[in-house]
Amino acid sequence: MKILFISENTHRGGVDTFLGDLILAWPNLEDELIVLGNLSHPGLAYLRERLCGKAAVGSHDIPLYVDLVLATTGRSAARFFRQIFSPFSRVAYFLMAYFRFRLLFRRIAADRLVVVAGGYPGGDSCLCAVFAWASEMRDRPPAFFNLHN
């Protein structure tokens, strides 16, 4: 069985330890395990080293909402724009991420999805992944959602 793990994080820490422990203790050695984190996640190198090939570890190129917000921090015009249009930008982000995750899931064709959200500051992409999985992979079981906080 092909199992995909999706995670969003901006710091290396507890989520990486949790994912590493989970995969190293995985009971079925026949399963193909794939771990995908956000492109800016600093813990991916740690996971690659720790898992020693027990899972494929990589990143997806779907941006994080928190990265988009941090890119505008400190610029007064951008901050003003963000404060006024924040609800609309969240909806726009969600739609963009939702459709990109659907394409990703179609390409990978995993049998199961396990989402491990790291809590603060975000988890928006993790939530998008669950909705995208539910609509794109209707013939598969629902995603597992783990909030590690």
Side-chain angles (χ1 to χ4, degrees):
M1 181 179 311
K2 186 189 275 190
I3 303 171
L4 175 63
F5 295 84
I6 295 280
S7 179
E8 172 187 333
N9 217 333
T10 57
H11 301 85
R12 184 169 99 63
V15 170
D16 305 313
T17 303
F18 173 79
L19 273 170
D21 291 346
L22 178 65
I23 290 169
L24 289 174
W26 199 258
N28 191 347
L29 299 176
E30 301 297 317
D31 288 338
E32 178 185 353
L33 307 177
I34 303 166
V35 177
L36 291 181
N38 50 291
L39 195 56
S40 60
H41 179 44
L44 293 177
Y46 164 80
L47 282 171
R48 264 187 221 99
E49 182 181 319
R50 182 160 186 227
L51 296 178
C52 302
K54 294 192 181 215
V57 178
S59 61
H60 58 75
D61 62 349
I62 301 166
L64 302 182
Y65 184 76
V66 70
D67 287 343
L68 299 174
V69 169
L70 291 176
T72 62
T73 300
R75 300 181 196 150
S76 60
R79 190 174 41 235
F80 174 74
F81 179 81
R82 190 177 71 236
Q83 287 173 343
I84 290 176
F85 293 105
S86 179
F88 304 111
S89 65
R90 276 200 182 268
V91 170
Y93 169 79
F94 187 89
L95 290 172
M96 178 275 304
Y98 169 81
F99 287 110
R100 290 188 62 184
F101 271 118
R102 285 186 68 164
L103 292 172
L104 178 75
F105 295 150
R106 196 176 309 145
R107 184 174 49 90
I108 293 176
D111 299 305
R112 300 272 176 138
L113 175 66
V114 178
V115 176
V116 181
Y120 182 81
D124 297 296
S125 70
C126 291
L127 186 59
C128 292
V130 170
F131 283 105
W133 177 266
S135 64
E136 184 63 35
M137 309 306 263
R138 289 186 187 125
D139 60 331
R140 310 273 174 26
F144 290 98
F145 190 94
N146 174 281
L147 179 59
H148 181 87
N149 194 355

